[in-house]
Structures are given as C-alpha cells and as structure tokens.
C-alpha cells in the first residue's frame, strides 16, 4: 500500500528518494511521484502513473536539484490511478507539497468548504483536500507550517501518515501519523522519512517510530522535535534497527518470492534460535513464560488475522487445542471488528500479522483491548503498530518479506504457533513429556526437510508448464492439511490470476464435486497422516469424474501414486508440523505457474503488501 519517503540534509535528495521508493515497491502501488525544493528554491513536483522506473524516465532532463524532498508510491483508494491523482499534491499557490498514506474520511465536507472559499482541485483524491486545507489555514493567519498542520489535522477524521514541505522554508519537513506507519531515520545532520525502515537502513540504523497523533519536525543540523496536535512535546525513543541490505535485494534470484521460498529453512532456524535449546528437547517462548498466569487463566483463545496470516491461525487453532486443551476460535479481523463480538477479560486474543500494520487486524486488537482481553501478537515487522498495541507477543524473525505473496512469513507464523502451543501445553500439563520432546525434535528437523523439498524445484517448474492452460484449480486437504489447501489456492490466485478454491476434502461431495471434469486440476494434500485413508477415498471420487489429480504424498507412498495423475513425494513429518513441509511445494507450484504465464510475481496486480486501509 502507499509508500512514503522523505529526505532533508546535505546530499542530493532525488537519488535517495528514488532508491527509497524502489525499496518500498514491494508494498504495491499504481503511480509514483516526487517533490523537490530546488537549489533555486522552486517547488518541482513530478508524478506519473505506473512504476518508479516510469517516473525516472519522466523526470530525466528535468530539474532534480535540491537537498530536501518528499516522494510517494500510491495505491489508489479515492480516484483512479493517473498522474493527476498521484502524490505529491500541492496547494493552489504552489507553495506547499504533501504526500499521504491513509484515508481522510471527511474529505468531501472539507472539500466543499474549501471550494466555497474559491479553492480549485486538480485531482479526485482525499489528499489534495488536506494540502489545500493547510494552505488555507496558514495563509489566513500567517502562521508557521507546524501550527498549520496541527490545526488542519484537528479537522481531519481518518487515518494518515503525511509529510509536508513549504517552498518558502526549504529547511524543514513536517510529518505526522495516525493509524498509518511512519518512521524517522536520524543521520548526521540529516533525516530520512519512510513508511517502514527499508529505505532508511542503507543510511542509518537509528530510527524513531512515530506514535498516533505525533508530529515530527525535521530540520537540517537540528535535533528531532516531536510534538502532538496540541503542541505538547512528546518524548521519543531512538531505536536501533538491525536489517541488512542483503535482505532487501534479490541475491541472484529472479524474484523476491523465489528467494523467500528458498530462505525458509534458514528462516525457521532463525525463528527457533534461542527458543529451542541446543539439545533439541526443550522449547521456551519467553512471552508465554512471562505471562503464563494470564494465558493459563484464559477460558478461550481467539485468533484474529487476515489472508495468509488467517490460514496460519487455522493451523494454530489445531496446535493449541491439541496441546493446551483450550478452545480456540479463528476470526477474520475484518469481520470481528464490526461484529460486536462477545469477548472479555477471560479471553486471550492472538493477533497474527506479518506486516504488523494491517488496519483490520489492528482495529480488532483495539476492540479486544477495550473489552479487557489480553492481547498476544505474532508479527514479523519489528516495531510496527500491532506489536506496539499488544500486551506481549513473539516476533517470527524471518527477515523482511518483499514479495507481495507471503511465503516465509507463513511458515514462520506456524513455527511460532507451534512453539507457543508447546510452551503453554507444558506449563498447563496438557502435553505429556514424551510427546513434547518428540514434537520439539521434529521441529528441529524441519529446516533440513524443507531443504529436501526445495530440491524438487526443477520438477515442479516442469510440472507447472502443463497447467498454464487452466482457468480453475481446486485444492483439498483435511485436518492440518485443510489450511494448507486454502493457502495453496490463495498463492495461486494472487500471483497467476487463475481462479482457485481450497476446501476440506470431505466437503467436495457437498457441492464442489459438480465442478470436476477432465479439465479440472485438483491438488490434494495427501501425506500419510491420520486421515490418509479418507483422503484416498476423496481422490478416488475425483478420479471417477476424470479430474486431474496432483497429490502431495509421503515419500515411498505406492498407493496414491497408482491413483493420482502426478505425485510430489515429500519427507515424512509428524502430522502437526506437516503444514511446514506441504506448504512449500504449493508455493513453488504457484510461483512457477505464474512465471510461465508471464505474470509480475513480486508485485501482482491490485495487491498491496501492507494493507493499511480497511
Ligand atoms: C497473501 C498475503 C495476504 C496477507 C494479508 C495479511 O499472500 O500476503 O493475504 O497475509 O494481507 O497481512 P499481514 O500478515 O501483514 O497482516
């Protein structure tokens, strides 16, 4: 979703801004723009529909001088993707330029008011209203930019991360946030602004994450000033980010998604580091131990999440119910937040989010908090909004995920959920010692088994060629494999644009079986676990209707291989951890089908990495 970059210092701003926008491309966008106050104190605004590369072409031959600037990638909400709607927006007099991430809900009322005062609008965006409002307020009373921004934001209802520049004061950027992330990077006599730390880490590891309704005033060679809307100074903590540049580059892979699929063995090791002991027979999630009374007292767990993280939640439900004997509900955060749910101090809410910024998940957390529930976060992006809103939690530590389709974050989330269930189950006494040790040992072997699966990459690439014709896919699984089927289907549809549905295998006969014919590929997770025989029957039902079955089976299986059209053999894994293995070939299948179809795998159409609007 929209990306914000800003710079003020002694270097040329333009190259820093463009590089920053490229680092944020993964968030998803449809247009891009940059505003610079030039060396001759002109405000130059350049913007275009399309990619950052298109912006660079558009800007070539233009004045890109200046050591202060703001830049933006836009994911359309109000108004189609086009250069007029792209950010930065500027005020009628051309004095102020502004970039914005979020939604101004009362923009129509504000726009009407400004139009009545003679203001004209060049775009159909909510953002242009804000920059005009700032100019209107500033020019009426000839106040400074900070005061004008404070007064304007007091009139705004909605979510925002903004950065504003004043052509007549090229020494200052004013930035503010509410419900939309904004990070300030602190260098030597210079400052960086961005929606997340990825554009900043190349220059400094010192950052400040702004809190809601905080405003940062950044001036060259001056200390950072943070105030609230009433101009009261806010104490701010300078944090050190540990992200290396290699994590933000493709490292020889054609796409970030493939790199991230291949990183999974290392990521799972990172996720377990310091949590599973060296002997491989104990696991401790410190947050579970620190809050064990509260967690053990819970009558019920509710998992809230969206998309892939919701699929991880479905696996978490089975893990927690199995090992801790606590009832678990899994809710779409977007439904939960508007449902007036029955929830109170006896409940523990687990919020799962890779980005830590998903607006619906954050709102679900706030709602549950307001009803007295205890909130546990499982996130990847360190310092993001959800971990800061929760009572405690565990990071998954899989490093930045750049490909829009989530891969390593999913397996990281499942790994943390497994460690949570094991730690809590042991504290509760609901898992016996032998079972506990065997699951921990199996967990330790997951990375090497994932490596084995990744060796199937070429074979899956070959297999994918057969399926580029398909317009539909069905994915089936039972028990722990059902969420894997959902996740496999989601991966395929989001990057290849092939329609795909995941079902619990036994649900087939209640409707979807009508879809089966010789054209229909059906991917079945059929590894040798508790429901193996049942899944075998489901496969036979599909074959009887001439469906084309691709089955994920356990190595050495010679029963399903006789029935299915194609089998992908996977190492044997204990059922509760099987999703960590069976998900990987489905990620590869989706990836290679999308590549065969020539799709933009890392930035699929219409999708955003960080869904910061509801
Ligand atoms: C799918 C995908 C999305 C996200 C969803 C939630 O590949 O990436 O479905 O899982 O938007 O995002 P987070 O986990 O950041 O809350």
């Amino acid at each position: 979703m929209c990306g914000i970059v800003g710079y003020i210092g002694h270097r040329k701003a333009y190259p820093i801004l463009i590089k920053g926008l490229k680092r944020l491309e993964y968030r998803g966008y449809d247009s891009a723009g940059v505003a610079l106050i030039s060396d001759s104190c002109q405000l130059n605004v350049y913007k275009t529909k399309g990619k950052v590369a298109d912006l660079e072409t558009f800007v070539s031959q233009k004045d890109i001088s200046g050591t202060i600037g703001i830049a933006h990638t836009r994911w359309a909400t109000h108004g189609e993707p086009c250069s007029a709607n792209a950010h930065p927006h500027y005020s009628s007099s051309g004095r102020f330029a502004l970039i914005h991430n979020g939604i101004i809900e009362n923009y129509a009322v504000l726009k009407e008011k400004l139009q009545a005062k003679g203001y004209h609008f060049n775009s159909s965006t909510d953002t242009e209203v804000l920059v005009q409002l700032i100019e209107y307020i500033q020019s009426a009373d000839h106040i400074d930019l900070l005061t004008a921004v404070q007064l304007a934001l007091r009139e705004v209802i909605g979510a925002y991360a903004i950065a504003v520049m004043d052509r007549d004061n090229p020494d200052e950027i004013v930035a503010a946030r509410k419900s939309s992330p904004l990070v300030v990077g602190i260098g030597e006599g210079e400052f960086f602004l961005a929606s997340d730390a990825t554009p900043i880490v190349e220059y400094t590891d010192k950052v400040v994450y702004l809190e809601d309704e905080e405003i940062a005033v950044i001036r060259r060679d001056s200390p950072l000033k943070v105030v609230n809307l009433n101009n009261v100074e806010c104490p701010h903590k300078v944090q050190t980010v540990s992200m290396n540049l290699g994590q933000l580059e493709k490292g020889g892979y054609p796409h970030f998604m493939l790199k991230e699929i291949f990183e999974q063995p290392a990521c799972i090791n990172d996720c377990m580091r310091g949590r599973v002991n060296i002997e491989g027979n104990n696991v401790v999630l410190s947050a579970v131990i620190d809050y064990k009374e509260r967690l053990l007292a819970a009558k019920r767990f509710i998992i809230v999440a969206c998309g892939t993280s919701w699929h991880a939640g479905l696996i978490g439900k089975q893990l927690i119910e199995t090992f801790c004997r606590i009832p678990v509900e899994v809710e779409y955060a977007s439904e939960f937040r508007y449902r007036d749910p029955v929830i109170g101090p006896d409940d523990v809410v687990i919020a799962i989010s890779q980005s830590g910024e998903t607006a619906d998940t954050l709102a679900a957390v706030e709602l549950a908090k307001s009803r007295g529930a205890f909130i546990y976060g499982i996130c990847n992006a360190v310092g993001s909004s959800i971990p800061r809103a929760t009572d405690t939690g565990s990071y998954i530590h899989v490093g930045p995920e750049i490909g829009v389709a989530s891969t390593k974050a999913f397996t990281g989330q499942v790994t943390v959920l497994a460690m949570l269930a094991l730690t809590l189950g042991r504290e509760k006494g609901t898992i016996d010692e032998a079972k506990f040790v065997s699951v921990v040992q199996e967990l330790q072997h997951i990375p090497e088994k994932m490596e084995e699966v990744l060796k199937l990459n070429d074979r899956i690439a070959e297999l994918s060629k057969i399926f580029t014709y398909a317009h539909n896919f069905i994915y089936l699984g039972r028990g722990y494999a059902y969420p894997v089927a959902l996740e496999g289907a989601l991966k395929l549809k989001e990057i290849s644009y092939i329609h795909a549905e995941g079902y619990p295998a036994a649900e087939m006969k209640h409707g979807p079986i009508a879809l089966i014919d010789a054209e229909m590929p059906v991917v079945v997770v059929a590894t040798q676990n508790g429901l193996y025989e049942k899944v075998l029957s489901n496969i036979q039902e599909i074959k009887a209707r001439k469906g084309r079955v691709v089955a994920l089976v356990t190595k050495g299986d010679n029963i399903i291989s006789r029935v299915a059209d194609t089998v992908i053999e996977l190492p044997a894994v204990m059922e509760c951890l099987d999703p960590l293995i069976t998900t990987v070939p489905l990620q590869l299948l989706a990836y290679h089908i999308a590549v065969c179809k020539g799709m933009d795998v890392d930035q699929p159409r219409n999708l955003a990495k960080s869904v910061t609007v509801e």
Side-chain angles (χ1 to χ4, degrees), residues 306-309 353-355 358 404-406 413 490-491 494 611:
C306 303
T308 287
S309 299
S353 174
Q354 184 285 128
S355 62
T358 300
V404 162
S406 191
Q413 290 162 345
L490 179 64
K491 283 294 86 84
E494 61 186 339
V611 186

Side-chain angles (χ1 to χ4, degrees), residues 372-429:
F374 182 81
I375 320 286
Y376 194 110
I378 296 180
C379 295
N380 189 32
V382 176
S384 54
S385 301
I386 293 172
R388 287 187 288 139
T390 51
D391 293 300
T392 188
S394 307
Y395 282 113
I396 61 174
H397 293 309
V398 299
E401 190 178 66
I402 309 290
V404 162
S406 191
T407 52
K408 62 179 183 173
F410 175 77
T411 45
Q413 290 162 345
V414 173
T415 305
V416 165
L417 286 159
M419 294 191 289
L420 185 153
L422 287 166
T423 312
L424 195 61
R426 192 183 224 190
E427 292 298 324
K428 198 162 183 261

Side-chain angles (χ1 to χ4, degrees), residues 3-5 20-28 73 195-196 198-199:
I4 281 181
V5 189
L21 289 186
K22 287 184 177 164
R23 294 261 187 245
L24 292 180
E25 280 192 307
Y26 77 93
R27 295 167 73 89
T73 45
S195 302
D196 62 46
T198 51

Side-chain angles (χ1 to χ4, degrees), residues 266-549:
C267 290
I268 302 306
N269 273 325
D270 289 344
C271 182
M272 291 190 293
R273 185 160 301 122
R275 293 162 165 175
V276 174
N277 67 350
I278 300 209
E279 296 74 31
N281 56 14
N282 195 13
V283 60
V284 176
L285 268 195
S286 54
V288 173
I289 301 299
D290 293 348
Y291 291 90
K292 89 176 167 201
E293 274 78 30
R294 187 66 186 78
L295 295 172
L296 290 174
K299 299 244 176 356
R300 176 177 66 152
F301 277 30
I302 301 170
I303 297 179
V304 292
C306 303
T308 287
S309 299
W310 184 80
H311 296 157
L314 293 177
I315 297 167
K317 171 185 166 74
Q318 299 189 51
L319 288 161
I320 296 169
E321 288 188 342
T322 306
F323 297 142
C324 311
R325 309 310 299 155
I326 298 171
V328 183
E329 291 168 18
V330 187
E331 297 258 12
Y332 283 117
S334 53
E335 290 294 312
F336 178 84
R337 65 180 289 196
Y338 286 118
R339 204 168 41 72
D340 190 15
V342 180
I343 179 166
D346 285 340
D347 296 310
V348 166
V349 166
I350 302 182
I352 308 177
S353 174
Q354 184 285 128
S355 62
E357 299 293 352
T358 300
D360 284 322
T361 310
L362 187 56
V365 164
E366 299 296 356
L367 172 66
K369 244 164 89 171
S370 72
R371 307 267 172 101
F374 182 81
I375 320 286
Y376 194 110
I378 296 180
C379 295
N380 189 32
V382 176
S384 54
S385 301
I386 293 172
R388 287 187 288 139
T390 51
D391 293 300
T392 188
S394 307
Y395 282 113
I396 61 174
H397 293 309
V398 299
E401 190 178 66
I402 309 290
V404 162
S406 191
T407 52
K408 62 179 183 173
F410 175 77
T411 45
Q413 290 162 345
V414 173
T415 305
V416 165
L417 286 159
M419 294 191 289
L420 185 153
L422 287 166
T423 312
L424 195 61
R426 192 183 224 190
E427 292 298 324
K428 198 162 183 261
T430 41
I431 179 168
D432 73 57
E433 192 57 19
K435 178 76 183 173
F436 176 89
V437 172
S438 66
V439 181
V440 178
Q441 283 174 344
E442 184 76 310
L443 200 50
Q444 282 244 300
H445 288 116
I446 290 294
E448 75 208 43
K449 291 188 180 179
M450 275 181 166
E451 295 284 8
E452 232 182 280
V453 180
L454 291 169
K455 290 193 184 126
L456 298 170
N457 183 43
D458 290 346
R459 170 134 193 268
I460 295 173
E462 227 14 71
L463 175 67
S464 303
K465 291 182 190 154
I466 305 170
F467 290 114
T468 45
Y469 77 88
H471 295 294
N472 298 288
F473 258 77
I474 290 179
Y475 285 71
L476 301 175
R478 300 188 73 160
Y480 280 98
Y482 162 50
V484 174
L486 293 180
E487 177 58 9
L490 179 64
K491 283 294 86 84
L492 185 71
K493 66 186 132 190
E494 61 186 339
I495 58 170
S496 72
Y497 318 145
I498 294 174
H499 170 242
E501 297 289 343
Y503 285 101
E507 273 297 300
M508 276 291 290
K509 53 189 171 297
H510 299 291
I513 200 161
L515 296 169
I516 306 291
D517 61 15
E519 297 284 290
M520 178 65 89
V522 185
V523 179
V524 189
V525 185
T527 45
Q528 259 153 15
N529 283 310
L531 294 166
Y532 177 80
E533 302 291 342
K534 308 265 179 214
V535 175
L536 175 59
S537 308
N538 298 139
I539 291 177
Q540 271 151 343
E541 287 159 11
I542 299 160
K543 282 315 300 172
R545 282 142 190 102
K546 302 196 170 14
R548 290 179 78 149
V549 173

Side-chain angles (χ1 to χ4, degrees), residues 35 42 57 117 126 184 217 234 254 289 340 364 376-377 389 518 597 613:
Q42 299 295 313
T57 311
K117 309 264 178 219
D126 51 339
V184 183
V217 182
C234 307
I289 301 299
D340 190 15
Y376 194 110
K597 294 190 72 173
V613 295

Side-chain angles (χ1 to χ4, degrees), residues 2 77-78 100-104 126-127 159-161 178-180 612-613:
C2 307
T77 54
H78 293 70
H100 167 224
N101 180 8
I103 290 183
I104 295 167
D126 51 339
T127 303
Y160 53 78
K178 184 182 177 194
S179 308
S180 224
T612 51
V613 295

Side-chain angles (χ1 to χ4, degrees), residues 2-7 24 27 69-72 98-102 130 149 153 159-164 173-186 191-200 206-218 224-227 236-237 239 241 355-357 362 381-386 388 610 612:
C2 307
I4 281 181
V5 189
Y7 176 76
L24 292 180
R27 295 167 73 89
I70 53 179
H72 190 265
L98 178 143
I99 49 177
H100 167 224
N101 180 8
L130 183 54
V149 169
L153 291 180
Y160 53 78
I162 58 164
V164 200
I173 297 178
V174 174
R177 85 153 256 174
K178 184 182 177 194
S179 308
S180 224
L182 197 55
V183 187
V184 183
I186 304 173
F191 291 98
F192 306 83
L193 271 176
S195 302
D196 62 46
T198 51
I200 296 176
K206 300 278 173 291
V207 298
V208 171
Y209 293 95
L210 291 186
E211 300 290 341
D212 274 353
E213 299 199 342
E214 283 186 351
I215 306 181
V217 182
I218 56 178
L224 172 67
K225 175 174 159 183
V226 181
V227 293
H236 53 273
K237 201 164 113 206
Q239 302 192 28
V241 279
S355 62
E357 299 293 352
L362 187 56
V382 176
S384 54
S385 301
I386 293 172
R388 287 187 288 139
S610 198
T612 51

